[in-house]
Amino acid sequence: PTPDQVATAAAVLPVGFGLATLLLIAALGAASFAPWTGIPAAALEAILQAAFEFSLVGRADHHASEAFFATWVMLAFLKAFRPSHPQHGRLAVALLAAGLVLAFWNWMGSSFYLVLLASFVGCWHLAAPAEDRSPARAAGVLAAGAGAAAILLAASISLFGRPGGLASVALAGLTGLQVWLTAITAAFGLLLWLAARRPGPRPRLRRLAEVAG
């Protein structure tokens, strides 16, 4: 593409990402609370300055796509955590992995999404009653989604990244550092999944030690 073609696409794409984010926000609100809460959630997003400011025509900035992929990741995790059907859960895990990979290609700081997901899973592991099996499901979703994302991310960097990028752990650009962080998140989810599936009650201090480990 010519520079003019790139400039034309960059001027319009933020609007598309902004509109698509509204749809994801509506779906996330409906999945989090009740079906009717999706519309007010999207309406609130639409009037927030931090939301529409980056989705204006001509505002060529990655923040519009960043909000889109962040919402994608959270919605996919929630759908996998509370699936309406087992097949839907597997599809949501696949979408979670794909969303994480695309988020990293959009912005290398997308490791923050991993922090949010791991923090939720860890806190849920601590706060849920001992007889509740949902912490195991949440940890399993994190392990599967982040594990698949780490594999796909490594493959995509090898194919499309800069030469030697996968072997590098530099902070600038997409490198092997993001792959390691995603793999570590998957390992964290796997450890919590194994701990949550252990039969019998787990004392709170012991569970705290498991999360700290």
Side-chain angles (χ1 to χ4, degrees):
T2 66
D4 288 341
Q5 290 173 327
V6 173
T8 301
V12 178
L13 276 176
V15 181
F17 276 116
L19 293 174
T21 301
L22 290 180
L23 296 177
L24 291 182
I25 288 287
L28 183 60
S32 300
F33 301 101
W36 64 269
T37 58
I39 294 178
L44 179 61
E45 168 77 4
I47 63 175
L48 290 178
Q49 181 177 0
F52 68 75
E53 187 178 70
F54 293 112
S55 58
L56 298 174
V57 175
R59 183 68 184 267
D61 194 291
H62 77 283
H63 286 87
S65 51
E66 182 185 336
F68 171 79
F69 287 118
T71 311
W72 174 342
V73 167
M74 300 309 157
L75 178 60
F77 178 85
L78 181 62
K79 287 291 188 180
F81 176 48
R82 297 191 306 196
S84 56
H85 189 276
Q87 290 185 349
H88 296 168
R90 289 189 287 270
L91 175 60
V93 170
L95 290 174
L96 172 60
L100 286 171
V101 173
L102 293 173
F104 274 119
W105 275 99
N106 177 65
W107 178 49
M108 60 185 177
S110 297
S111 306
F112 182 62
Y113 309 155
L114 299 176
V115 174
L116 291 175
L117 295 177
S119 298
F120 167 76
V121 173
C123 291
W124 191 241
H125 182 79
L126 286 172
E131 64 276 6
D132 190 353
R133 296 294 92 190
S134 61
R137 185 164 62 252
V141 169
L142 180 65
I151 295 172
L152 293 174
L153 189 59
S156 64
I157 293 175
S158 298
L159 292 174
F160 308 112
R162 65 186 183 186
L166 188 59
S168 172
V169 290
L171 295 176
L174 190 59
T175 65
L177 176 62
Q178 287 78 24
V179 178
W180 278 108
L181 292 174
T182 310
I184 290 172
T185 303
F188 175 75
L190 179 60
L191 289 175
L192 287 188
W193 180 77
L194 294 173
R197 287 176 59 87
R198 190 177 305 163
R202 298 182 304 277
R204 294 304 174 93
L205 290 179
R206 183 175 178 181
R207 287 197 280 175
L208 180 60
E210 291 170 352
V211 173

